[in-house]
Amino acid sequence: MNLFDELKWRGLIDNVTSPEIEDEINNGELTFYIGTDPTADSLHIGHYSSLLMAKRLQQHGHHPIMLVGGATGFIGDPKATGERNMLTPEVLQANYDALHRQINALWGFDMVNNLDWTKDISIIDFLRDYGKHFNVNYMINKETVKKRLDSGISYTEFSYMILQSLDFLHLYQEKNCRMQIGGQDQWGNITSGLELIRKKCGNDVKCFGLTMPLITKADGTKFGKSETGTVWLDAKKTSPYELYQFLFNTEDDKVIEYLKKLTFLSVEQIEELERSLREEPHKRNAQKALASEVVRDLHKEEGLQAALSITQALFSGKLSELDESMRKDAIMNMEKLSAPAGLTLLDLLVDTKIAASKREGREWIKGNSIAVNGVKVTDPDTRMTQEQAYIDNDLIIRRGKKRYYCVALEG
């Protein structure tokens, strides 16, 4: 299987601008770029597939450039749902610096900032040298722009396509960058960049565009900064344990897709995991492999081992074996409740509505179904004081084998 065929097998090819790209990817040494705007201080799981795509191509002799849009970040790529909030220069610079550190630490790609070649262009030069080459009828037929015509779109966001096209032109002229890769929602911007290159540099130029399918959740929504529950690549925003749990809980009908797109596991390894998923789904081997591979790739072996230690401690109830940092990670995904300090265990269960009534709570306690900080408690009159807290003023209540609650003791 050649490289292009493997990329198709992994579901990483949505569309290409020319059939020649297959031979270029299999046999050439392309300089290509992937871009993102600094609208947050970390990349998220939705970016991860694109970054791995760059890594896959790099391993086969191609040369990736990572563009972080210090200029386009001021404008905002049009969304189908409405205008973006404009960020201040200070926030954009802080985000750019954070992304620069993150990308350099994780992948070491060459990085460029489109503010460097955009900031000194005058409005007259912009309109004469670049805007003159764009037909408004062509621009309004781009998918995202078309969706916004009824609700309205500002000229600012409408002009984003021109700025991104200018990026492709600049990188072609200055770095011989001949391919842009983006999500399928970037098709219009990529083809506009190719058109600008042809108009400015001639029809014989050999440049290409490739789009990738967006990675979506089981409900069809995409991963992104604007979605709830964003999964960040920064360990300070999403801990290795949280990332592990997120991936381990992947639905059966999505896990093989994620294994293909988010890991470097071989075709044979993924096919074996697919067989295991089909024949013994209760073992969740595919989900374990997905979570382990991604966490190890992003947070190294230490991050994976920390995630596994927390997972095992919660499964076994041996919470006392975790150190302070692991304890903080362990409680992040728990349901957060609060109750006055000094209540009996029975009253605390009722006060927090963990139990619907004293009768229910007493049955759980007497039936060995309630653990406090990993230790079974069978006396309903045991006092819950701040001295018993697991970390800070938080108490961990486990009901049954899997249901955990983090109860803040107040007063």
Side-chain angles (χ1 to χ4, degrees):
M1 185 182 294
N2 61 38
L3 176 57
F4 192 81
D5 285 342
E6 181 183 338
L7 296 177
K8 287 198 297 184
W9 175 81
R10 289 183 181 275
L12 294 172
I13 307 293
D14 173 61
N15 210 345
V16 296
T17 56
S18 167
E20 295 176 53
I21 201 170
E22 182 172 349
D23 185 63
E24 292 278 354
I25 284 177
N26 287 332
N27 304 308
E29 291 187 10
L30 281 170
T31 296
F32 66 95
Y33 89 96
I34 292 176
T36 187
D37 287 335
T39 49
D41 60 0
S42 172
L43 300 173
H44 55 74
I45 198 70
H47 294 114
Y48 190 55
S49 177
S50 297
L51 291 160
L52 289 192
M53 177 71 145
K55 192 71 175 178
R56 296 180 207 278
L57 291 172
Q58 184 184 51
Q59 290 176 345
H60 285 79
H62 301 288
H63 308 291
I65 296 173
M66 186 72 200
L67 183 150
V68 179
T72 42
F74 277 105
I75 303 303
D77 196 1
K79 298 189 301 180
T81 53
E83 291 282 316
R84 294 179 182 272
N85 294 324
M86 286 195 167
L87 301 178
T88 66
E90 294 77 17
V91 170
L92 281 168
Q93 184 61 52
N95 289 348
Y96 177 88
D97 292 341
L99 293 187
H100 190 284
R101 290 191 298 270
Q102 185 177 55
I103 293 166
N104 187 59
L106 289 173
W107 293 283
F109 296 148
D110 290 340
M111 284 188 60
V112 294
N113 181 352
N114 60 16
L115 188 62
D116 292 341
W117 58 82
T118 307
K119 65 180 184 297
D120 295 326
I121 299 176
S122 71
I123 184 63
I124 297 299
D125 291 339
F126 176 76
L127 294 174
R128 285 179 60 88
D129 295 343
Y130 306 108
K132 187 67 175 176
H133 295 288
F134 287 80
N135 183 290
V136 170
N137 291 338
Y138 174 80
M139 293 173 73
I140 63 177
N141 278 310
K142 296 303 181 183
E143 184 177 355
T144 304
V145 174
K146 188 186 296 183
K147 290 179 179 178
R148 288 279 299 281
L149 290 180
D150 288 338
S151 60
I153 182 171
S154 68
Y155 178 76
T156 299
E157 289 197 2
F158 184 65
S159 67
Y160 185 95
M161 182 185 297
I162 303 177
L163 286 178
Q164 186 167 317
S165 299
L166 196 161
D167 292 342
F168 202 172
L169 172 65
H170 175 87
L171 292 175
Y172 169 70
Q173 292 175 323
E174 298 298 321
K175 293 181 178 291
N176 194 32
C177 176
R178 297 196 297 117
M179 181 168 70
Q180 182 183 357
I181 295 176
Q184 64 191 71
D185 56 346
Q186 293 298 309
W187 179 256
N189 291 329
I190 292 173
T191 54
S192 295
L194 289 170
E195 187 67 15
L196 180 62
I197 290 172
R198 292 190 185 99
K199 288 178 178 178
K200 299 284 282 187
C201 303
N203 289 324
D204 58 341
V205 169
K206 296 291 186 181
C207 287
F208 309 97
L210 183 155
T211 56
M212 303 167 55
L214 298 175
I215 294 195
T216 60
K217 306 171 189 175
D219 61 4
T221 59
K222 69 177 184 178
F223 295 109
K225 293 183 287 289
S226 58
E227 308 298 330
T228 57
T230 302
V231 180
W232 302 99
L233 305 190
D234 186 338
K236 294 179 181 178
K237 296 168 74 74
T238 299
S239 72
Y241 166 69
E242 288 180 285
L243 178 60
Y244 185 92
Q245 288 300 312
F246 172 80
L247 295 168
F248 180 74
N249 288 314
T250 298
E251 296 87 346
D252 287 354
D253 59 355
K254 297 294 286 186
V255 67
I256 300 302
E257 175 193 339
Y258 292 173
L259 280 166
K260 291 178 179 180
K261 293 179 178 179
L262 301 180
T263 79
F264 284 97
L265 292 178
S266 67
V267 173
E268 293 75 20
Q269 288 171 311
I270 293 174
E271 287 178 343
E272 175 59 26
L273 289 167
E274 190 169 17
R275 182 203 61 76
S276 175
L277 177 67
R278 185 172 59 252
E279 297 178 2
E280 43 192 14
H282 59 283
K283 291 187 176 181
R284 300 185 69 77
N285 288 329
Q287 283 86 349
K288 290 176 186 176
L290 172 67
S292 296
E293 289 294 315
V294 175
V295 172
R296 184 188 291 111
D297 189 40
L298 286 171
H299 305 301
K300 306 191 183 313
E301 189 64 31
E302 309 91 85
L304 175 59
Q305 290 307 314
L308 292 174
S309 295
I310 296 170
T311 301
Q312 179 58 30
L314 291 172
F315 179 78
S316 64
K318 297 178 181 178
L319 300 180
S320 61
E321 297 180 357
L322 300 179
D323 61 28
E324 184 175 357
S325 64
M326 289 183 179
R327 291 183 181 199
K328 289 181 178 179
D329 285 347
I331 68 175
M332 282 186 177
N333 291 331
M334 293 181 186
E335 185 174 345
K336 304 298 191 295
L337 304 169
S338 61
L343 293 178
T344 66
L345 175 58
L346 179 59
D347 287 338
L348 181 142
L349 293 178
V350 176
D351 187 81
T352 57
K353 296 182 170 55
I354 294 174
S357 65
K358 285 192 173 184
R359 177 180 177 180
E360 184 178 59
R362 191 174 286 108
E363 288 176 354
W364 286 344
I365 295 170
K366 294 295 186 182
N368 271 335
S369 294
I370 299 294
V372 178
N373 298 338
V375 179
K376 292 287 181 67
V377 178
T378 57
D379 182 359
D381 296 323
T382 302
R383 295 283 171 182
M384 300 292 104
T385 65
Q386 290 179 337
E387 288 73 23
Q388 295 172 293
Y390 182 67
I391 186 167
D392 298 328
N393 290 324
D394 294 332
L395 200 69
I396 308 304
I397 304 293
R398 186 178 75 171
R399 174 167 65 86
K401 292 183 178 181
K402 296 183 178 180
R403 193 68 183 271
Y404 278 91
Y405 307 86
C406 178
V407 182
L409 298 176
E410 301 175 340

